[in-house]
Amino acid sequence: MSNVVIVGVQWGDEGKGKFVDLLAQEIDYVVRFQGGNNAGHTVIVDGKKAALHLVPSGILHEGKICLIGNGVVLDPVVFVEELDTLIGQGVDVSPNRLKISSKTHLIMPYHKVLDKARENKLEKGQKIGTTGRGIGPCYEDKVGRVGVRASDLADPDLLKAKIAAALKEKNVLFTALYGIDALAVDAVFDEVMAVAPRIIPHLTDVSSELEQAWNEGKSVLFEGAQGIHLDIDHGTYPFVTSSNTVSGNAAAGSGVGPNKLDRIIGILKAYTTRVGEGPFPTELNDATGELLRTSGGEFGVTTGRPRRCGWQDIPVLRESARLNGLTDVALTKLDVLSYMDEIPICARYELNGQETDAFPFPAVLPDAKPVMTAMPGWKCDISGVRKWEDLPEAARNYV
Ligand code: IMO
Ligand code: MG
C-alpha cells in the first residue's frame, strides 16, 4: 500500500483511531506528527482495549513500527505511564518498535500549570476549554526558541539551565499574575530526570528512519490528531489547538518531503461534535442534542467531558476537503442516526442576506445562519451492514 495520511475533518473525535487501526493491517509504520496527549483514541485489538493519548494507535498490532515525530509535543511523564499500561497488557513497546524524534519538544510541568492557570483566569466567553495538558504553552516555548527538546534529556546540565531560565519568567507569572505557588528548579528537574532513562533509549532520527523504511519498500501511515477546524491557522481561531492539524503538516512534523504523502483520508462523523469552547453553528442545546449524545456515546476519552453535539455541516466539510487535499473520506457512526425520522443537515450559510457555500470566517460567524435541509431517515438497524449495496436507500442518499 502507498503512504497514507489520516486526518479528522471536523473538530476532533471523528473516529480516527478506528481507521488507523483498520489500515494498520496493511502498513508497516505509524507516525504521529502533531499534537500531544490532548488526543484520545480508544482502540480494541484482540480483546485488548487501550485508551491511547500519545503512543500511535498502531502499537497494538504486532510487528508495526511506531514513530513520534518532531511536530509532536511529548509529556515525558505521561509517555512513561502509557508505556507501563501497555507493558501491563503484554504489548511490546521496546525501543526498536517505538521511537521518538530527538527533536520532539517536551511538555514540562510548568507548561501544564500555566495552561490550567490561564484557563482558570479567563472570563466565560474567553475560555478556550483546553484539555489542560500543557499543549499550548509547550508550543509557545518551541516557537519562542526556549523549549526543551527530547535530546536535552541526555544533557542534564543543559536541561537544568533551560528549566532555570524558563522558571525565571514563568514563576513571575505564577505568583504575580495568577496567585499560585512558584515552582522550584530542582523539583522540576528531578521529576523529568526520573523518567529520562525510560525515554532516552527510544530517541532517534525519525526522518532518516522513514527514508530507510521507504528504501526497504515499506509503507507508512501518518496519524493525525484533533481536527482541521482546530488547526492553529485554519480553524475557528482562537478556539483552536496550538498545532497545524492539516495534512500538509504530516510532512513537516515528521521530516519528510510532501511528495511522500500519496493518499489523504479525511475521517468524519455522520453528525458533528465538539469539546471545549468556540463556535459551533449547528449545535443542539436541547433534548434533541442530549439524545444524540447518549445515542452516540459522546463523552471525551481524554477529559471525560460530555461532547457538544449537532448536525452535519457541509461548508465545514467542503473547506476541509480544500485545506487537506483529501483523496478519500471515511464516514463513522452512521448507525447512530438510525433512530431518526428525518436528519437535518446544514447545506450552506446565510450571511448579510446572501447564501454562501463557504464556512464563514470566525469573525462573522455569529452573524451567519445555517441554512438547514432535512434528509429522510432509514429507521432500521444498519450496524451489521458491511456492503454499500446493503445499506437502505435513505442511508445511501444521506452519505
Ligand atoms: P482527538 O485526537 C477533540 C480541543 C480542546 C479545546 C482545544 C484546545 O481525540 O480528536 P488544547 O488542550 O489542544 O490546547 O485545547 O482543542 N481538543 C480536542 N477536541 N478531540 C481532540 O483530540 C482534541 N484535542 C484538543 O477541547 O477546545
Ligand atoms: Mg478523541
Side-chain angles (χ1 to χ4, degrees):
M1 197 166 87
S2 46
N3 305 308
V4 174
V5 186
I6 291 223
V7 286
V9 301
Q10 294 159 316
W11 279 279
D13 302 321
E14 298 89 351
K16 297 176 289 293
K18 187 184 176 105
F19 283 90
V20 173
D21 203 38
L22 268 173
L23 292 170
Q25 342 249 336
E26 299 167 43
I27 55 98
D28 307 295
Y29 283 69
V30 181
V31 191
R32 276 210 46 193
F33 56 89
Q34 48 72 232
N37 59 314
N38 47 352
H41 298 161
T42 310
V43 274
I44 306 170
V45 178
D46 298 336
K48 286 178 203 156
K49 180 172 175 175
L52 297 171
H53 300 283
L54 207 44
V55 174
S57 308
I59 200 76
L60 297 184
H61 292 266
E62 249 172 70
K64 309 296 167 192
I65 310 268
C66 292
L67 306 175
I68 295 178
N70 55 278
V72 170
V73 286
L74 181 133
D75 184 327
V77 177
V78 170
F79 178 77
V80 168
E81 279 169 12
E82 219 160 272
L83 276 192
D84 285 337
T85 305
L86 289 165
I87 290 167
Q89 289 177 314
V91 177
D92 174 11
V93 289
S94 56
N96 56 9
R97 72 174 294 238
L98 176 58
K99 310 182 192 202
I100 304 167
S101 165
S102 303
K103 296 175 184 169
T104 301
H105 277 252
L106 299 182
I107 298 177
M108 303 295 282
Y110 45 82
H111 292 139
K112 294 180 263 191
V113 173
L114 187 55
D115 193 0
K116 290 186 193 122
R118 255 193 209 147
E119 277 287 295
N120 281 339
K121 184 101 178 169
L122 287 171
E123 306 285 326
K124 204 173 182 300
Q126 292 179 323
K127 284 189 197 297
I128 309 287
T130 71
T131 59
R133 302 295 193 263
I135 307 294
C138 182
Y139 277 117
E140 282 169 36
D141 278 1
K142 169 180 172 170
V143 176
R145 296 163 293 192
V146 292
V148 176
R149 305 215 283 185
S151 57
D152 298 338
L153 293 174
D155 186 344
D157 291 339
L158 175 65
L159 177 66
K160 198 166 198 170
K162 283 192 171 187
I163 292 170
L167 286 181
K168 212 169 177 179
E169 200 174 47
K170 281 167 178 100
N171 278 339
V172 177
L173 292 176
F174 294 161
T175 54
L177 184 62
Y178 296 119
I180 54 176
D181 292 340
L183 297 186
V185 174
D186 283 337
V188 171
F189 177 73
D190 291 347
E191 186 178 337
V192 176
M193 283 309 286
V195 290
R198 301 280 308 277
I199 294 176
I200 290 167
H202 295 269
L203 299 185
T204 189
D205 176 350
V206 163
S207 172
S208 300
E209 290 272 349
L210 287 172
E211 180 177 50
Q212 196 188 328
W214 284 313
N215 287 341
E216 291 167 7
K218 310 280 194 209
S219 55
V220 178
L221 186 152
F222 297 86
E223 174 182 352
Q226 288 85 49
I228 299 322
H229 295 273
L230 288 171
D231 183 281
I232 184 72
D233 288 301
H234 304 290
T236 43
Y237 192 89
F239 302 99
V240 292
T241 191
S242 297
S243 63
N244 282 116
T245 57
V246 288
S247 60
N249 195 27
S254 55
V256 307
N259 58 337
K260 287 292 196 292
L261 314 178
D262 303 314
R263 280 174 71 190
I264 319 287
I265 307 182
I267 314 297
L268 65 132
K269 217 179 302 207
Y271 47 95
T272 310
T273 64
R274 174 164 200 171
V275 280
E277 304 300 322
F280 181 0
T282 62
E283 181 173 15
L284 297 158
N285 286 304
D286 53 11
T288 317
E290 194 58 50
L291 183 58
L292 190 53
R293 173 158 45 247
T294 41
S295 306
E298 297 295 351
F299 298 88
V301 179
T302 299
T303 56
R305 290 180 287 185
R307 294 177 183 144
R308 301 159 64 192
C309 293
W311 302 127
Q312 191 61 272
D313 188 324
I314 303 301
V316 159
L317 302 183
R318 194 175 283 124
E319 184 170 84
S320 295
R322 168 162 47 83
L323 291 168
N324 287 295
L326 297 182
T327 59
D328 304 73
V329 289
L331 184 72
T332 63
K333 291 193 147 176
L334 186 61
D335 57 334
V336 171
L337 299 177
S338 298
Y339 68 89
M340 297 190 58
D341 295 318
E342 273 196 331
I343 308 162
I345 55 171
C346 167
R348 62 194 80 84
Y349 280 85
E350 191 197 303
L351 187 61
N352 305 325
Q354 282 199 316
E355 292 203 353
T356 169
D357 284 342
F359 187 64
F361 199 72
V364 296
L365 204 43
D367 305 323
K369 232 181 74 200
V371 179
M372 305 298 295
T373 54
M375 305 286 296
W378 44 93
K379 300 286 279 183
C380 62
D381 181 14
I382 56 166
S383 57
V385 173
R386 291 294 171 267
K387 286 197 202 116
W388 173 249
E389 314 81 81
D390 296 341
L391 273 181
E393 198 185 345
R396 276 184 273 151
N397 286 339
Y398 183 76
V399 175

